[in-house]
Each structure stands twice: as C-alpha cells, then as structure tokens.
Amino acid sequence: VSQPLAGVRVLDLGTRISAPLCAGLLGEQGAEVIKVERPDTGDFMRGLGPFKDGYSLWWAVEGRGRKSVTCDLRTAQGQRLLRELAGHADVVVENFRPGTMEQWGLGPADLPADLIYVRISAYGQDGPYAQRPGLDRVGIAFGGLLHLTGEPGRLPVRAGVNIADYLAGVFGAQAATAGLYRRAGSPDRPGQVIDASLYGAVLRVLEWTIAGHDQLGVVRERTGNRVSSAAPGDIYPTGGGGTIAISAAADANFRRLCAAMDRPDLPADPRFDTLAGRVAHREELDQIIRDWTGALSAAEVSRRCVAHAVPASVVFTAADLAADPHIAARGDLVEVADPVLGPVRQQAPYPRVAGEPPRAPAGAPRLGEHNEEIWCGLVGLSSVEYADARAAGVL
Amino acid sequence: VSQPLAGVRVLDLGTRISAPLCAGLLGEQGAEVIKVERPDTGDFMRGLGPFKDGYSLWWAVEGRGRKSVTCDLRTAQGQRLLRELAGHADVVVENFRPGTMEQWGLGPADLPADLIYVRISAYGQDGPYAQRPGLDRVGIAFGGLLHLTGEPGRLPVRAGVNIADYLAGVFGAQAATAGLYRRAGSPDRPGQVIDASLYGAVLRVLEWTIAGHDQLGVVRERTGNRVSSAAPGDIYPTGGGGTIAISAAADANFRRLCAAMDRPDLPADPRFDTLAGRVAHREELDQIIRDWTGALSAAEVSRRCVAHAVPASVVFTAADLAADPHIAARGDLVEVADPVLGPVRQQAPYPRVAGEPPRAPAGAPRLGEHNEEIWCGLVGLSSVEYADARAAGVL
C-alpha cells in the first residue's frame, strides 16, 4: 500500500473533528501523527457519544491512526516542551480560538519557520468575527449551506453529519500537503500558515449561489430533493418502506428510465420529450415515477434501474452498507484494532491507490499511550525529567 | 500570495464538478490547469443552469482558473495528441466511466509512468458495481449520507449542494498532492493512480455510523437538526422570519445562552443542570428557547448570543453573504473577470495563507481559447498540422 507521506511528522493539537480529521488524513497516507492532549481529560472527542461501555465510538473512528502524548499547554513548562516537540515536526494542526496559540507562546512566530501550520477555526484567523465561538452548525449556517438544505416551506435542515468540520479538515489537509510539496522543492524550506475557516469551506462548495445572486439577483432557496433545472430527479418511496434516489434528467437517462418502467410511450410524450418540458411538468412526471416505485420493493426498483443503466441507488442505511457486496468486495469497511474495544468495523481510509484495498489504520490510542516514546525517545527528556513533569501534571 | 503548486501542470479531462473541482483546486494553488474538452460541445458543465444570457453561471465558477483546449478523445488522432500532451503533464484528472480511458488507449499504462492519475467515478474503479452509472445523488444515497439527512418521519433530504462531487474532488486533490510530494522526493519519480469514488467520499465522513452499527447494532437514523447526545442545539425560528442556528450543549455554552436569554434560573434548574438532563428534557428546553427567539428579530438574537459568546449564527442566504462585513473584510467573495460576462462575483479560493486575502482566479475560458498556445506552443504541432486537425474536427 502506497504511503506517499511516509517520513512526515504531524502534531495534532486539535479537538473534535476538523483538525483531528485533517491530521488523521495525512496519517492515513503515511505520516506519523502525534496527538497532543490535555493530561486531565484528553481530547473532548473521547467524551462524545455514542458509547460502547462508556467508550466513545466517534473517538474510536476519528482518533485512529495516531499516537497520543499528554501535555498541558496552559503551563509554561508544557509550552516549552511543545516548542521542543515542534522542532521535530513538519506539520502542526490546531483549532483553538484565534490568538490562543500566541497567548501560549506557541504561535507561528514562536515555532520553527519551516513548519506547515494549519489553523482551523469557525470564522478564520482575522476579520471582525474572528473571536466569536463556533462549531460545525455555525459553519453551515454562516457559510450558506444550511439555508439551501431541506424542503421548501419548512425549516432548513443540517446535513446529517458535521460537514463543515469534515470539509475544512480535508481542504486543510490538501493545503498542508501542497505546503509540504513546496517546502520540499525549495532550498530555503519555506513554511506556511494556513487559515481554514469552517464557514469558508462551506462557502467554497456553494456552486453557483453567489454568482446567481450577483448576476441575476437570485437569492437561492432550498428545493428539497429536486434541482430546479433538472427533471426527473428525486427521492422516491418504494413499496417496501425504503426509498430510492433516481437521477434521470438528461435525455438518454430519461429514455433508459422509461424503458426500466416499461413505459416506451413517455419519451415521445410532448410534455416530457425535452428537458425543459420535463421540468415544466415535473409534478405529473414524478407522480408517474412514484406510482411505479411505490408498487415495487426498493431492491426490485434498483434491479430494473441497474438493468437499464439508469443512475439510481437505494438510500442506504448502516445495515445496508454492512451487507452490500460491492462495499465488501472493495474493502470499504475495515476492522480497526481498538486498544479498548478490540476489532471495530469502520470506514476505510479514502481515497485508495487503484487496485489496492485500503489498509486498516491502527486503533485510537489510549490517553498518553506514547508519552515515553515521544517525550523521552524523540524529544530527549531523561527519565527523571519525564517523571517530574508527569508528577507535576504537565505531561 | 503563495502558490505552492507553481510549476505543476494538470490536465482536467473531467466533466461537471468532481474532477474539474479537483483540478481547479490544484490550480488555485498555483498549478497550470489545462482543460481538455470535446470540440463540438465542450464540457457538459457549460450547459448547466442557471444561466445569464444563456451562459452558465455554474461554469463561470467551476470552470475558472484554467485553460481550455479541444480534443476529440473518441478519435485515434485525438488519442495520439492527448498522449503527447500528457507527456508534458504532472497530473491527470478524469471522471469517465471506468474502462473508458483504457478503451481509448489513454489508461495509466498508456501514459507516462510518472503521472499522478486521479480517477473519480460513482462506484470506484473495481468491484461488482463499477460499471453502474452514477451522479452525486447516487453517491450520497449509496454512501449513506442521504439516509441521515432530514427530519425524522419524513423522506430523507439531500444536502443543498452536490456534496459527494465536492468531497470526492477535494479528497482527490489532497491525494494527488500527496502523490506529487512523494514523486518529488523519489529519484525514480513514481507515479500514482488514485481511485476516488463518489460514495466513498461520503462514507468516509459518516462519523460513528459504521462503528455504531458494528458495536451497538444501531442503524443510525436522521434526527433533523438535533444531535441525539447533545442539547440544546437546533435551528430556531425568529420573529422576523429568519432562522438562527444555536449550539449550546456543553455546560459553559449553556450557561452563556441562559445569560443571553436573561434566564439565570435555568442552569440551576434540575431538569437542565447536566447535559444528560438537557437531552432528556430537550423538548421543554427548546420550547423555552423558541419562545425567546420567536419574540426577537434574527439580528437581535444574534447580537445577544454574540455578546454572551454563545456559538450561534443566523442562517445566511446569498443576500446575507453579499452584505456581511466579516465576509467583506476577509475578501471571501472575489470578482472574477469572466471573458463573456465581465466581472462575476463568486466564492474565493479556499483555504488561504494566513493574513493574505485570496486572489481572484482567471475567468472560465472560452471553448478552445488556448488551443494554439498548448497544441502548437507546448506540444509542438506545426501551424499546418494544427490547422489540419482543426479542419478534421479532432481539435
């Protein structure tokens, strides 16, 4: 399995999701990731449910593939130790409130100049709202995605996962990797400080929303499962209780859907024979499709769509994912050896090298599990210094 | 402005969103991106609404920052020319149906071995469903996000943008950049073929969904705007018609929210004095909050939350984004000089180097705008060869 970032060392100073995901993604490509946690409680993510026997399953997933050391960054000694550790690192990822790292003497100016320093925050590092607190929900609300998600006439609905956190984490990992690339090619090894806001990640993926407002004066609204310029395309209930997503707006796909429905008359129907016509008559068209899907099981609708090469998929649950032969053949779910729970099935690293099933990362570490390895072996504390720092609660 | 990928050349063989976004993201960090389009129609994205005077605003955004050449990959001559062009490239990004590039003699084995070759597809390059057609909607359905998004008891709802496309594009860009990093550090310049499926990008961000099914037998369901283990946190209607997102589940944030509501009694209320209690009594708690938000304008609720450091944001529309002082101060919206429309305001490149406002990319190119520059200047066709290929419809 290819490990393109082998030899890179990353410090994960982050907490729940965006920064740890950013660091972990680098780790899944071969970087050594060292998570630095508070000695008392560790990462807040360790306390996020759902739990198995009191142990966080979310932590088991997004804490995986890294080492854990403790260090109290609120103490002068902890700050000094972190500066020493940073001297051995290539990348630092943090998501404290802007200015916090500087207060601790751990800002970019305090650490080696060749570091790639990724800063994730709700509102970014500068600007009038920089000090406002924020979480994923603030990111999707302020960044404009929340207003676009949900059914017309109802309250907006969040995407079912912390999508601003994940987006900012992946964008941040890409920018960090670009920084590593530049540094490797420059004799003076320039570092880089990256400012990744949660709202900005969401804003970046808003498609034409800003341009539409600027050029057409359109304030884009949510349209449920429909796209205003394309039909048919929706989520359709099936007879068995499940639902199926079908996209068949393009002429060729619409003809295939009609064949799957055994309705060869529809493509020639003057209401439906052009995309514009299908959009104009989408209610009638969707009713025809719903009548068809509602009389069949989800599996049968899917089978007929697949047989006619219509883009469609049953709306998968966790149970569907666990049972699906394509997911199994591709190795998309891996057994991670968690030190507390034992094997835990979870999503594999993504993306993969073509033809190579992804490898399971190491399990999420116990708090401080790698203290001696890192503080003594890497940073060079003597065993007495290490024991003293532990006794003082600094490590 | 830092351009860490300066000197990298990327071929964008993709169409609508995931692959073009992947290439474009590399371009926004300094890579030269050459889009290769069908001579007849160009990228399908050019025909996706909404339109200004018949010109796609989505294309104006996601076609930006690159050059356009034409080449008919369905012809032997076009395939030969593309192989020559690929000899000058570092990265190729494509999202044809798996096997298509091989049929054209343009698969990884046909192109230089040191290329970073990013392949985006609905179901990935192998496995039993690899040949099934798929679009964003299939990615979110099969990948498990769609089932988690929306209100309990109602049909699932898609995220308001093509999130599988964007996620796969960003993940793919990160993996491509890691491949560039590895290649730069290896004397034998190893290439890499990356398999990025739409569903896999979604599956990767499913949080604890798979682990919860594996360890607890829980089939995760959608919970609207609530998170099952945290309260209060929801989208609340305000008096003026807008809505506001508030996250105040942690003890400290809850105390701040109570101060913002001028309800100092609530943190000590035995129903609400622990997170578990707030979760158990969330209906009563949310009703109290709704009564408060419903009596005030969105701006006033926001002002009070900000004054008390409660994580909250008005649910922003495109109009709100255009008018917001933080967005303006940060330069999150840039004027892109479109060759057809003139200046078009759109989201800036993301993320940024700390302290540097993002720079506007070049406008989306006209179809074949850079044909002579690339085919003659870079690949080395004579003007006669070029004219012949144009006359034959190959370029």
Side-chain angles (χ1 to χ4, degrees), chain A residues 328-340:
Chain A
R330 299 256 298 162
D332 287 306
L333 305 182
V334 291
E335 298 273 347
V336 171
D338 189 89
V340 173

Side-chain angles (χ1 to χ4, degrees), chain A residues 171 174, chain B residues 5 20-29 66 169-170 173 350-351:
Chain A
F171 271 111
Q174 195 281 325
Chain B
L5 299 184
L21 182 279
C22 175
L25 184 53
L26 302 177
E28 291 178 2
Q29 297 180 342
R66 68 200 76 198
V170 183
Y350 173 92

Side-chain angles (χ1 to χ4, degrees), chain B residues 43-265:
Chain B
D43 186 351
F44 178 70
M45 197 170 24
R46 292 178 181 272
L48 284 180
F51 303 100
K52 165 85 177 281
D53 303 334
Y55 184 79
S56 165
L57 294 176
W58 203 350
W59 164 255
V61 175
E62 297 302 359
R64 75 192 191 185
R66 68 200 76 198
K67 297 173 178 175
S68 167
V69 303
T70 53
C71 185
D72 187 348
L73 302 183
R74 291 154 186 81
T75 66
Q77 190 184 354
Q79 292 157 8
R80 183 177 57 74
L81 287 167
L82 197 282
R83 282 191 292 270
E84 289 189 33
L85 179 58
H88 298 272
D90 302 292
V91 179
V92 167
V93 188
E94 62 98 6
N95 62 342
F96 292 102
R97 194 84 66 88
T100 305
M101 290 290 281
E102 281 81 354
Q103 283 171 24
W104 290 339
L106 300 173
D110 304 303
L111 299 186
D114 68 350
L115 272 179
I116 310 298
Y117 194 120
V118 182
R119 319 194 74 166
I120 301 179
S121 59
Y123 289 98
Q125 298 297 313
D126 54 27
Y129 307 166
Q131 290 304 314
R132 291 188 185 179
L135 300 163
D136 177 81
R137 192 174 296 249
V138 164
I140 59 173
F142 187 71
L145 177 60
L146 186 50
H147 183 74
L148 301 180
T149 305
E151 300 173 47
R154 298 185 68 86
L155 286 180
V157 175
R158 66 185 285 270
V161 299
N162 282 356
I163 201 71
D165 276 339
Y166 278 97
L167 277 171
V170 183
F171 270 112
Q174 195 280 326
T177 310
L180 287 169
Y181 174 81
R182 180 174 77 143
R183 193 182 75 165
S186 309
D188 55 342
R189 289 175 59 81
Q192 190 152 52
V193 185
I194 295 157
D195 173 358
S197 63
L198 296 187
Y199 81 86
V202 166
L203 178 62
R204 178 61 188 85
V205 305
L206 281 198
E207 303 175 342
W208 51 267
T209 308
I210 303 296
H213 182 254
D214 180 60
Q215 295 289 309
L216 305 172
V218 169
V219 178
R220 187 175 175 183
E221 298 294 336
R222 52 192 167 277
T223 56
N225 286 311
R226 294 173 170 182
V227 173
S228 52
S229 56
D234 209 331
I235 316 293
Y236 303 90
T238 66
T243 52
I244 190 162
I246 300 176
S247 289
D251 289 337
N253 283 331
F254 179 60
R255 281 194 301 271
R256 294 185 188 113
L257 174 62
C258 295
M261 295 196 296
D262 201 15
R263 288 293 303 270
D265 56 308

Side-chain angles (χ1 to χ4, degrees), chain A residues 181-207:
Chain A
Y181 173 81
R182 181 175 77 142
R183 191 182 76 164
S186 309
D188 55 341
R189 289 176 59 81
Q192 190 152 52
V193 185
I194 295 157
D195 173 357
S197 63
L198 296 187
Y199 81 87
V202 166
L203 178 63
R204 178 61 189 86
V205 305
L206 281 197
E207 303 175 342

